[in-house]
Amino acid sequence: MKRPILIHPDPRLKKVAEPVRDVSDELRRLADDMLETMYDAPGIGLAAPQIGVSSRLVVLDCVKEEGAAPRPLAMFNPEIVAASDETSVYEEGCLSIPETFADVTRPAEVTVRWMDRDGNPAEETFGGLWATCVQHEIDHLNGKLFIDYLSPLKRQLITRRMTKLKRDRAREQERA
């Protein structure tokens, strides 16, 4: 089931998400809903706080090559356990900040530890777009948005634009 995505500014996007105690059927359904929502948006990552759920859960799939099999990942309680000194710059966007993109510098490679859908521990080292995406999504769990890496002025301009977008969308819904 697709879920509505919160749009910045929303106070729920700035809160630190609660740890997942154990992976239940309800949380697995939530992960499936999040993947459906992410693919539909379309996006490559989504964190539970973005749909108003304060749980440390992210989903991602950064396979972009034409014809390549998708690789949907659901990570419960993901944490970065190692990061490279080398950095990379990617133009990032966010489903909670539509039609807004900016270059963000992050570690080029990260090792992440998490619980999988069955509650088993998992660990993997990610590079390239995967590394950027997983860091971006884990930031969401800590109440941080990619625009927090930008200058205060740019952040303010984007926040104003998102406030106007939310107002415009609310008006459209009232008319519908």
Side-chain angles (χ1 to χ4, degrees):
M1 174 179 81
K2 283 188 297 196
R3 309 270 190 119
I5 297 171
L6 300 179
I7 303 296
H8 167 75
D10 186 302
R12 293 170 288 182
L13 293 171
K14 299 305 282 179
K15 287 195 166 68
V16 175
E18 298 294 321
V20 170
R21 299 283 168 237
D22 61 295
V23 181
S24 62
D25 286 343
E26 185 182 341
L27 282 170
R28 280 188 277 275
R29 270 192 304 280
L30 174 63
D32 292 340
D33 288 355
M34 287 172 59
L35 282 164
E36 185 181 342
T37 302
M38 176 193 82
Y39 286 129
D40 182 68
I44 59 171
L46 187 67
Q50 291 180 272
I51 58 165
V53 177
S54 183
S55 291
R56 295 189 77 77
L57 165 61
V58 302
V59 297
L60 51 152
D61 185 349
C62 299
V63 174
K64 309 264 283 184
E65 298 78 33
E66 192 68 39
R71 185 182 175 217
L73 276 180
M75 299 177 164
F76 298 88
N77 297 332
E79 61 177 320
I80 295 169
V81 294
S84 65
D85 290 334
E86 183 189 339
T87 59
S88 63
V89 178
Y90 269 92
E91 184 181 61
E92 293 188 28
C94 181
L95 297 176
S96 291
I97 309 173
E99 299 164 24
T100 303
F101 302 91
D103 286 345
V104 177
T105 303
R106 298 182 183 271
E109 204 173 86
V110 290
T111 301
V112 179
R113 188 178 297 144
W114 71 93
M115 268 190 318
D116 70 12
R117 297 178 67 92
D118 300 316
N120 298 316
E123 184 172 307
E124 187 174 335
T125 299
F126 297 96
L129 181 60
W130 284 89
T132 295
C133 183
V134 76
Q135 291 173 82
H136 176 112
E137 299 311 328
I138 290 172
D139 274 354
H140 274 298
L141 301 180
N142 296 319
K144 189 168 188 172
L145 302 172
F146 85 93
I147 61 171
D148 293 333
Y149 291 93
L150 308 179
S151 72
L153 179 62
K154 279 186 184 167
R155 208 170 36 245
Q156 216 172 27
L157 290 170
I158 291 167
T159 299
R160 271 199 221 113
R161 197 165 68 237
M162 290 303 110
T163 302
K164 181 183 181 317
L165 175 74
K166 285 170 74 170
R167 219 178 15 245
D168 293 347
R169 284 185 178 180
R171 282 190 195 120
E172 284 172 22
Q173 284 181 336
E174 284 171 15
R175 282 189 218 119

